[in-house]
């Protein structure tokens, strides 16, 4: 039976940075499930799906049949995850604010989630994994070996994400826009009916608002080691 470490939480809490470090140290696979929703979000944008006035009641209809022709593979090259959609590696195209928003919107659709969750569960069954997302401990891997819910204030998370975008050269986005996007996605992710963002009952909650990255990593490692031994 594989070892499964689930790390959930809202955008910008530090999940992916911490999950990557942890996976490398343990020699586990790191699965960024957000990248999968981003991959489908990009696919929907390219298919011309309109997100204006999008909500849970019209989302299915808006997507039409585009899910039928959609395929996704997750590949690992040089230790990093690549998202392959219908044969094309889209890893470098899914980090824009437009794709973030599209990912959050398509993520409310149960049929989309079920398709991606099937792949997530398969990867976790075949490998030791550190998997991050919104619903990993609560829905995707309810029997995960370790469950962590990583959080921080919206302002701290927006500040971190803003710096990250600046460093990547995305200088046309303001801090206020990042904060607004984060609050919108938090609400969207927490209020959807199917597999919302939530802290699983048996997850350990870690608040990183006042922590440096190093402190957060140390805290998570303590939690993981206490559960694994
Ligand atoms: O990196 P960031 O935290 O900004 O977002 P992400 O983890 O890349 O996820 C992008 C979007 O996908 C989120 O806003 C969620 O709406 C959705 N998502 C989800 O619904 N369930 C997951 N397990 C992972 C992501």
């Amino acid at each position: 039976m594989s070892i499964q470490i689930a790390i959930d939480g809202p955008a910008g809490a530090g999940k992916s940075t911490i999950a990557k470090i942890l996976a490398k140290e343990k020699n586990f696979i790191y699965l960024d499930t957000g990248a999968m929703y981003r991959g489908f979000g990009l696919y929907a944008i390219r298919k011309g799906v309109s997100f204006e006035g999008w909500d849970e009641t019209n989302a299915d209809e808006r997507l039409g049949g585009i899910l039928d022709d959609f395929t996704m593979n997750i590949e690992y090259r040089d230790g990093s995850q690549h998202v392959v959609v219908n044969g094309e590696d889209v890893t470098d195209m899914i980090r824009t604010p437009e794709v973030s928003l599209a990912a959050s919107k398509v993520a409310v659709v149960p049929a989309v989630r079920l398709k991606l969750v099937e792949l997530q569960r398969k990867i976790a069954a075949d490998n030791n994994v550190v998997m991050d997302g919104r619903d990993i401990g609560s829905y995707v891997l309810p029997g995960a070996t370790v469950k962590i819910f990583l959080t921080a204030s919206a302002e701290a998370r927006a500040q971190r994400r803003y710096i990250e975008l600046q460093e990547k050269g995305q200088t046309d986005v303001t801090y206020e826009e990042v904060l607004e996007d984060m609050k919108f996605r938090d609400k969207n992710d927490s209020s959807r009916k199917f597999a919302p963002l939530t802290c699983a009952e048996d997850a350990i909650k870690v608040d990183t608002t006042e922590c440096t990255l190093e402190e957060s990593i140390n805290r998570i490692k303590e939690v993981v080691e206490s559960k694994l031994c």
Side-chain angles (χ1 to χ4, degrees), residues 95-97 162 164-173:
R95 297 287 154 197
T96 64
Y162 174 68
E164 203 176 287
L165 289 171
Q166 296 283 308
E167 282 171 359
K168 279 191 195 152
Q170 289 185 33
T171 48
D172 52 340
V173 193

Side-chain angles (χ1 to χ4, degrees), residues 10-12 15 32-35 37-38 95 100 103-104 107 113 132-136 161 185 189 192:
K15 300 181 301 288
D32 170 0
T33 63
Y37 290 93
R38 285 170 181 272
R95 297 287 154 197
S100 297
S104 172
R113 302 198 71 83
D132 78 1
R134 304 291 191 281
D135 57 340
I136 310 305
R161 182 54 53 91
R185 287 200 288 141
D189 291 343
R192 69 173 170 245

Side-chain angles (χ1 to χ4, degrees), residues 204-215:
I204 294 176
K205 204 168 183 173
V206 177
D207 189 322
T208 67
T209 307
E210 306 288 341
C211 298
T212 62
L213 178 62
E214 202 185 350
E215 287 165 345

Side-chain angles (χ1 to χ4, degrees), residues 7-16 30 32-38 94-95 99-108 113 116-117 120 131-136 140 157 161 164 181-182 184-186 188-190 192 194-197:
I7 305 184
D8 289 302
K15 300 181 301 288
S16 63
Y30 163 54
D32 170 0
T33 63
M36 299 170 70
Y37 290 93
R38 285 170 181 272
I94 57 175
R95 297 287 154 197
V99 175
S100 297
L101 206 58
S104 172
K105 295 203 169 185
V106 296
V108 304
R113 302 198 71 83
L116 299 183
V117 166
Q120 292 158 16
M131 196 182 289
D132 78 1
R134 304 291 191 281
D135 57 340
I136 310 305
V140 181
R157 293 186 283 114
R161 182 54 53 91
E164 203 176 287
D181 161 76
M182 226 150 240
F184 174 82
R185 287 200 288 141
D186 285 355
N188 211 27
D189 291 343
S190 313
R192 69 173 170 245
F194 188 75
L197 163 66

